[in-house]
Amino acid sequence: MLKTIFSISGKPGLFKKVTQGQHLMIVESLTDQKRIPAYARDKVVSLGDISIYTNDEDVPLYKVLNNIREKENLQPVPMDTAKATPDELRNYFAEILPDFDREKVYPTDIKRLINWYNLLLSVGITSFDPEAEEGEIADETAEHEADEENKKMKDAKPRQTAAQKKTAAPKKSVSHSKQQPPAAGKMRQRTKQK
């Protein structure tokens, strides 16, 4: 589920992917279901691609969210992140992920993570494991690829063979040297009528 949920830099909240075009992606806000475009220039990050720095190795976000879920028993985090001090945030996060890198993980990152967890719970997303998603994503991807292939086949023009190209009638060339532009001809007609 986290692979289809995105964070967009400069826009509050989380978004789910609706459709994707060539240079943009249409996303829908999880909070108010408004659809907005996310362009190629926007920094769009899937929650499935995020990991947290630790002293040993990076920990994927889904493991951190599962740790918060276990600690809070499927309840929202009661901490008010807007009023929490950096020390309170670090102490709380140390209970979730004891060996997180205190130099690379900033208090703003912890606030954002807690807010994301609370938002995901509020919209009914409680499973963060990617293993549960693998079958669903594979089915959706196969359906999407089949739809795209059918669309391409319908939109594709039949190709001409080399023999058909040679026998095609040559284009006529038109000489514009003696012809007057249409605007000039209209101007003359208007002046003669006066």
Side-chain angles (χ1 to χ4, degrees):
M1 188 60 149
L2 294 181
K3 282 282 187 192
T4 60
I5 298 175
F6 298 93
S7 170
I8 302 175
S9 181
K11 294 182 177 23
L14 294 173
F15 303 87
K16 67 179 178 179
K17 179 180 169 181
V18 176
T19 187
Q20 185 166 357
Q22 186 174 3
H23 298 288
L24 71 128
M25 179 170 48
I26 303 297
V27 293
E28 182 177 86
S29 172
L30 290 180
T31 54
D32 58 6
Q33 285 73 40
K34 287 186 180 178
R35 292 184 177 189
I36 61 168
Y39 296 99
R41 68 178 178 268
D42 295 331
K43 185 176 179 183
V44 179
V45 179
S46 169
L47 295 189
D49 296 336
I50 296 175
S51 61
I52 306 297
Y53 293 114
T54 63
N55 294 327
D56 298 328
E57 60 185 27
D58 295 351
V59 176
L61 182 65
Y62 77 90
K63 289 184 180 180
V64 177
L65 291 173
N66 283 333
N67 291 348
I68 295 173
R69 182 184 65 196
E70 289 172 11
K71 181 185 182 318
E72 300 298 334
N73 295 322
L74 283 173
Q75 297 298 316
V77 177
M79 180 186 299
D80 183 11
T81 57
K83 296 179 182 177
T85 66
D87 290 333
E88 291 173 340
L89 291 168
R90 285 190 180 108
N91 291 337
Y92 177 80
F93 202 64
E95 295 174 16
I96 304 300
L97 191 65
D99 62 337
F100 78 96
D101 191 340
R102 285 162 171 69
E103 291 179 8
K104 293 182 180 177
V105 179
Y106 298 108
T108 55
D109 299 330
I110 299 170
K111 281 183 185 181
R112 186 177 304 120
L113 180 72
I114 292 170
N115 290 334
W116 286 350
Y117 172 79
N118 288 339
L119 178 63
L120 290 170
L121 277 187
S122 70
V123 296
I125 298 173
T126 57
S127 175
F128 307 117
D129 292 325
E131 291 84 26
E133 306 168 15
E134 292 296 328
E136 297 170 12
I137 291 175
D139 292 342
E140 289 176 10
T141 304
E143 289 175 14
H144 180 69
E145 288 174 357
D147 290 342
E148 288 294 321
E149 190 64 31
N150 288 339
K151 186 177 179 181
K152 285 180 185 177
M153 294 299 282
K154 288 179 183 177
D155 294 341
K157 294 180 181 177
R159 292 186 177 180
Q160 290 183 343
T161 62
Q164 289 173 336
K165 288 181 182 178
K166 288 180 182 177
T167 60
K171 293 183 179 179
K172 295 181 181 179
S173 62
V174 178
S175 173
H176 294 288
S177 59
K178 295 182 180 178
Q179 294 180 352
Q180 295 179 351
K186 290 181 183 177
M187 292 296 287
R188 287 187 186 156
Q189 291 175 357
R190 288 184 190 152
T191 56
K192 288 181 181 178
Q193 290 177 357
K194 291 184 181 178

